[in-house]
Amino acid sequence: AATASPPPRQFATSARSMVALLSLAPSCLGLATPLRAAPPLASSRAAAVSMDYSKEELATALNPVVGYFDPLGLATADFWSQGNEATWGWLRHAEIKHGRVAMFAFVGYIAQYNGLHFGFPLSLPESPSYAAGLTPPEQWDALPLLAKAQIFTFIGFLEFWSELGMETHYMKGGRPGDYPDFPKAGVIPVTPVKVFNLYDPFGFAGKRSEEQKAKGLLAEINNGRAAMIGIMAFLAEQKIPGSVPWGPHLKPYAGEVMAPFMS
């Protein structure tokens, strides 16, 4: 595999600074509960032990200081003439799903940028393996087209099953963020053996109380929002050095992060 000069050594320290900055940024932007929260409202106290948040209760529980703030009117919108409840379910599901992906991406970016990777090859001997010194976007560019296609095919299957496998769709009264169980072994060709549930493979979450689940939901949404800001900040800094105030100094990237198949 081709090699390149290693990324700047100061990234490990800068990454810690970025994490610290992200812990403060959501509070300033109204995205998370600040360190000194205002006294909770009666409605938010009632919602704190329930997974069935109203729009106003969810906003207040996520940030008691800012509360319900919807300048674009998304919470009252009607996408594709499906009704407001369907639109609200779609928006909530999209935010939770994007937040989960962003949390994986944020942590994965930091790990890969600092040289952490699997100790065994992930491709055939004749294909390029891990190339030391490449930043995460450059490492993606170094993958062969077939490897990229396999990754997108797997993602496409997960999307397919998440939409068709649930009993009640999130736009029709189902709970946003839920991922359906895979079918039992032998039901469809791709499951010759039982596949664990991706959300709760070992059943730990099912044993938690409703209050613990509600608290975990708020933490997941807030952390996901922060991670979405964080991963986009990393990519922006690589494309436009200095574009992220107080951010890490990253190796510039000459490719196109929004065109995954160009290189």
Side-chain angles (χ1 to χ4, degrees):
T3 59
S5 57
R9 295 290 297 175
Q10 66 267 33
F11 177 73
T13 301
S14 299
R16 288 193 292 269
S17 302
M18 189 68 178
V19 173
L21 177 63
L22 284 174
S23 67
L24 300 177
S27 300
C28 301
L29 298 175
L31 298 177
T33 304
L35 295 179
R36 187 180 64 182
L41 302 178
S43 59
S44 65
R45 180 179 179 84
V49 294
S50 172
M51 294 287 285
D52 299 323
Y53 292 102
S54 69
K55 300 170 185 177
E56 293 78 9
E57 289 171 341
L58 178 62
T60 303
L62 287 168
N63 192 323
V65 172
V66 175
Y68 183 74
F69 181 68
D70 183 26
L72 298 180
L74 294 176
T76 57
D78 181 4
F79 292 174
W80 312 292
S81 300
Q82 297 294 309
N84 176 248
E85 289 301 317
T87 300
W88 177 243
W90 184 85
L91 289 170
R92 284 202 59 200
H93 187 81
E95 179 183 36
I96 293 172
K97 181 166 64 174
H98 281 79
R100 290 169 178 170
V101 173
M103 286 187 279
F104 274 111
F106 184 80
V107 175
Y109 188 104
I110 294 176
Q112 200 279 334
Y113 199 103
N114 285 278
L116 300 178
H117 61 90
F118 290 105
F120 50 87
L122 299 178
S123 55
L124 297 175
E126 59 269 20
S127 300
S129 185
Y130 174 80
L134 296 183
T135 64
E138 292 170 339
Q139 193 69 52
W140 170 264
D141 292 342
L143 288 175
L145 180 61
L146 182 59
K148 295 178 181 179
Q150 289 174 337
I151 294 173
F152 273 89
T153 299
F154 178 67
I155 295 173
F157 167 75
L158 294 179
E159 285 290 299
F160 161 80
W161 185 249
S162 71
E163 291 293 319
L164 300 183
M166 58 182 59
E167 295 183 2
T168 305
H169 196 270
Y170 51 84
M171 293 182 67
K172 298 180 180 179
R175 190 164 61 185
D178 277 3
Y179 194 90
D181 288 335
F182 289 109
K184 296 180 179 179
V187 175
I188 55 178
V190 296
T191 56
V193 295
K194 174 62 178 176
V195 180
F196 287 121
N197 178 290
L198 293 182
Y199 171 70
D200 187 21
F202 302 108
F204 295 145
K207 301 176 182 178
R208 302 172 68 189
S209 67
E210 290 300 314
E211 185 173 2
Q212 290 174 323
K213 291 179 181 178
K215 183 178 179 181
L217 173 65
L218 299 180
E220 180 182 40
I221 294 175
N222 278 330
N223 290 335
R225 290 174 175 179
M228 286 188 276
I229 296 174
I231 187 59
M232 293 308 297
F234 283 155
L235 297 177
E237 178 65 25
Q238 279 205 260
K239 283 296 296 181
I240 309 174
S243 61
V244 181
W246 308 295
H249 301 289
L250 305 178
K251 178 183 176 182
Y253 173 60
E256 294 294 336
V257 295
M258 297 301 177
F261 292 104
M262 280 190 63
S263 57

